[in-house]
Amino acid sequence: MQKVLIFGNSFRVNRLPQMKQMLTQLKQHGLDIAIDQQFAQFLVKEIGIDPTMFHTIDSEDFTGDIAFSLGGDGTFLNTAARIGAKGIPILGINTGHLGFLADITNDEAATFVDDIVNERFKIEQRTLLEARAKNNNERLNFPFALNELAILRQDLSSMISVTAKVNGEVLNTYKADGLLIATPTGSTAYTMSAGGPITTPDTPVFVIAPIAPHSLTMRPIVLRDDCEIELTTESRSQSYLAAFDGRSQVLDCKTSIVLKKAYYRINIVRPKDHTFFNTLKTKLMWGADNR
């Protein structure tokens, strides 16, 4: 391992007390450090990081052996979008709150550097959604999602109607506040709050879950991830929001969205003793007695 990339959340200065120590450790191991330009400026100004310790990432033309994402799950999703199909493994260091993707604490990060340098870790591969627009000349600004695609209403006073086809066959027309199509990674995010099932990250499935459905018969469903899903939306406003991992775009109702499993996957770095079930028990406090 020779080069470490660092991306981060520029709004949590009080939650980065180990940053200097971590950079010092990385330099002591002789590693080349590259930090996202905006985050680097933040670190120099707010924390006093020595700018001679690193160089900056100021374009999308970058390479590295591992990427550190400092923040919460939102920061991790942004980092994954920047990495794209480059295949660079991502380590999520949690300076946020819940953190299913960024589940390494600051304290763990300080002690995990030696393991990173000596490659004593495991890599989990995560499936993404890939989307394309159909029936119109619109272009999707964010065609990939690690967590989910959310189809959302623009008119807050009325519901939307989303017809889902699976491999060309109509599955259902969902009359609701919105509809979620999630990967296994996204099953512990927005979809979980909508009542969808939690799936283990290596399960080859997608989850479709309505948001506040207007009928109790509209339930979440789990599908194989080798299927193609087509979504057609009707709305009073004649438009709707398509949010890919929270990055929204307004689309005309004449535009359908076709989804499939992406051609690449995101590599997530985990300590060898971290398991998905332990993360669930820790983050969701399963088994805790709160009486």
Side-chain angles (χ1 to χ4, degrees):
M1 182 168 299
Q2 297 178 331
K3 187 174 183 179
V4 176
L5 311 176
I6 299 178
F7 302 87
N9 186 330
S10 301
F11 301 99
R12 296 190 179 275
V13 62
N14 61 319
R15 299 196 178 191
L16 295 172
Q18 283 85 11
M19 189 64 194
K20 285 184 179 180
Q21 178 185 353
M22 187 174 69
L23 284 178
T24 300
Q25 287 179 289
L26 292 172
K27 291 300 289 185
Q28 287 174 344
H29 283 288
L31 296 178
D32 184 22
I33 301 172
I35 304 179
D36 176 62
Q37 187 174 45
Q38 183 177 355
F39 189 49
Q41 292 171 350
F42 167 78
L43 293 175
V44 171
K45 179 180 178 180
E46 300 294 339
I47 303 179
I49 299 295
D50 183 355
T52 64
M53 296 179 68
F54 60 86
H55 56 271
T56 60
I57 303 168
D58 53 11
S59 72
E60 300 308 307
D61 183 21
F62 60 83
T63 60
D65 298 299
I66 190 170
F68 287 13
S69 173
L70 280 72
D73 282 356
T75 305
F76 190 100
L77 292 172
N78 289 335
T79 301
R82 291 285 301 276
I83 296 298
K86 296 178 186 295
I88 301 169
I90 306 171
L91 172 68
I93 300 172
N94 186 18
T95 64
H97 298 290
L98 194 59
F100 277 95
L101 290 168
D103 70 337
I104 306 295
T105 66
N106 270 327
D107 292 335
E108 287 177 314
T111 59
F112 195 43
V113 169
D114 286 340
D115 289 335
I116 291 294
V117 171
N118 294 291
E119 300 187 14
R120 294 192 296 263
F121 54 82
K122 61 184 178 182
I123 293 179
E124 297 177 359
Q125 292 190 321
R126 300 293 182 91
T127 298
L128 295 91
L129 287 163
E130 182 176 355
R132 63 178 174 85
K134 181 182 177 182
N135 301 334
N136 206 357
N137 293 322
E138 293 196 71
R139 176 181 177 273
L140 298 180
N141 297 330
F142 314 104
F144 297 96
L146 177 58
N147 268 358
E148 77 280 309
L149 164 64
I151 302 296
L152 303 168
R153 59 182 181 166
Q154 279 194 286
D155 184 352
L156 297 181
S157 65
S158 63
M159 65 182 179
I160 59 174
S161 177
V162 185
T163 298
K165 290 183 180 179
V166 179
N167 294 333
E169 180 180 353
V170 174
L171 169 65
N172 196 5
T173 296
Y174 296 90
K175 298 181 184 299
D177 287 356
L179 190 68
L180 297 165
I181 296 83
T183 67
T185 300
S187 71
T188 52
Y190 199 169
T191 305
M192 182 171 66
S193 70
I198 294 174
T199 60
T200 56
D202 56 351
T203 308
V205 298
F206 293 139
V207 176
I208 298 181
I211 304 169
H214 289 231
S215 170
L216 292 177
T217 63
M218 295 181 188
R219 314 304 301 170
I221 186 170
V222 178
L223 305 172
R224 287 167 51 118
D225 70 0
D226 58 356
C227 67
E228 181 179 88
I229 302 168
E230 182 177 340
L231 305 172
T232 304
T233 303
E234 295 181 9
S235 167
R236 285 185 185 177
S237 64
Q238 301 303 311
S239 62
Y240 62 97
L241 283 176
F244 296 83
D245 287 343
R247 296 162 297 173
S248 299
Q249 180 177 357
V250 178
L251 295 174
D252 189 285
C253 283
K254 295 178 182 179
T255 301
S256 298
I257 294 178
V258 179
L259 296 165
K260 65 178 182 179
K261 181 168 63 175
Y263 70 92
Y264 70 92
R265 292 188 284 184
I266 291 294
N267 297 318
I268 298 180
V269 175
R270 300 287 197 201
K272 288 189 173 181
D273 60 348
H274 276 218
T275 69
F276 179 68
F277 295 141
N278 280 338
T279 299
L280 284 181
K281 287 182 283 188
T282 300
K283 303 298 182 181
L284 301 182
M285 296 186 291
W286 285 359
D289 188 347
N290 295 319
R291 291 175 294 177

